[in-house]
Amino acid sequence: MPESTTTNAGWFARAEAVIPGGVDSPVRSFRSVGGTPYTVVRGSGATVTDVEGREYLDFVQSYGASLLGHAHPRVIAAITEAAAKGTTFGAPTPGEVLLAEAIVGAVPGLEQVRFVSSGTEAVMSAVRLARGATGRDRILKFDGCYHGHADHLLVAGGSGVAELGLPGSAGVPAGAVADTLVAPYNVVPTLDASVACVLVEPVAANMNLVRPTEGFLEGLRAECDRVGALLIFDEVITGFRVGLGGAAEMTGVTPDLWCFGKVIGGGLPVGAFGGSAALLETLAPVGPVYQAGTLSGNPLATAAGLAVLSEVTDDDYIALIDRTRRFGSALCQAIRDGGLWSCVPSAGPLLGLYLAPASGEWSAPSNYPESRAIAETGLYPAFFHEMLHRGVALAPGAYEVLFVSMAHTDAHLDQAVAAAREAAAAVARSL
Ligand SMILES: *Cc1c(COP(=O)(O)O)cnc(C)c1O
């Protein structure tokens, strides 16, 4: 193999030879939008640069792991300083205590957290804790919500009322999902006393953006309380993204357990799950629920996470949300001006992006089938490529959301709106 590979196609060909599909996480492969992925060599603030030297205004931001933008100086300094002292010990460190204090201090109702190395692990462990604490096996999740790739959560959704799910991937045995119920998002299911926990994205951000409707989360809280089930908020995306207190604070509904990931690692591999001290002390070594990790609470990751959390203030979130809201309306209008139907819902600084032919009758989705119906009009891939061609990187899939980082300026957002107007017009012309 030539060491002098300089093109995206060249790097991706080399990647495909040694990494399945050329990627370590499927969405990156561009399979759902077509074409060859750009291979990133560096990022700075709101932009990333590929191996060909092309710079993109980046709305992927590592699917939400980056809040301050890429390569923030405070985060680099924190990681560098931590690395010089040793990268992992297998013993308690001050860094994990400081990050736990910062998280617990920011989220009303949260008393203890345990760190893991990914969002998947956080949710998987929270579910085990809920089962161990309640002595019940059944769990309930919602159609279209993503909770990482643990077997019992990789389950295909039902269509109507809550029903037992089917394996959502080859390699997941039916037995692994036998205790997983799947219910439609935004409908409060009726539970019984066999249910250990209800797991939900309090703002759904893995089926494009779907906001919780009025009363949905409140209804889940009441229904869980009625049957003694635990309510788990998967805040892997929303935690420290929609505000310091996450979606729980934003919606005013307090879960029993929280799952975090993405933002709290400052771009390094971290997850965490938490709740009341009484509940968390069901975990080993205090209680009977086993959970562990060689690199859990890793010093580099906790230093990066702490650098991010100590950098941002409530005012920064208010400004980000305000900037994003104006961007969302301008983006929607620009796409409509270009001749397509569009809807850009927001939840804090998270933006959804729905596109369809102007001839159809559409409205903002409130569940997965409605979101899928819009995605299946098939306009997103063309729009994605028209944007990429104009130097704006959206996620390469119609079910992701836009991540506007703290490093995106009004000028960046104006640039994206201008690109969207042209991109939409180009897509509309091709219909
Ligand atoms: C990304 C994500 C996960 C999984 O986190 P990983 O770090 O990718 O394992 C879980 N839940 C939600 C809501 C997510 O967005």
Side-chain angles (χ1 to χ4, degrees), residues 118-121 123 146-149 201 206 234 236-237 262 270:
S118 68
T120 294
E121 267 187 275
V123 182
Y146 179 68
H147 301 292
H149 63 89
E201 284 183 80
N206 285 287
D234 180 347
V236 171
I237 282 185
K262 298 193 170 120
V270 180

Side-chain angles (χ1 to χ4, degrees), residues 63 123 140-148 185-186 198-213 216-217 220 231-239 247-248 250-251 255 257 259 262 347 350 366 368 399-401 403:
Y63 295 91
V123 182
L140 184 141
K141 77 174 283 287
F142 294 92
D143 189 24
C145 285
Y146 179 68
H147 301 292
Y185 197 76
N186 272 327
V198 170
L199 175 62
V200 66
E201 284 183 80
V203 172
N206 285 287
M207 49 170 141
N208 206 326
L209 191 82
V210 174
R211 295 173 50 89
T213 51
F216 174 56
L217 298 173
L220 294 182
L231 179 60
I232 307 180
F233 275 7
D234 180 347
E235 296 226 37
V236 171
I237 282 185
T238 53
M250 185 179 83
T251 62
L257 289 167
C259 303
K262 298 193 170 120
L350 291 170
S366 62
Y368 185 45
Y399 293 110
E400 311 299 334
V401 298
F403 292 98

Side-chain angles (χ1 to χ4, degrees), residues 4-40:
S4 58
T5 303
T6 54
T7 62
N8 290 315
W11 274 108
F12 198 60
R14 285 176 67 172
E16 282 182 303
V18 289
I19 300 171
V23 292
D24 288 312
S25 199
V27 67
R28 300 177 195 169
S29 68
F30 274 35
R31 295 263 165 137
S32 70
V33 291
T36 303
Y38 52 93
T39 294
V40 173

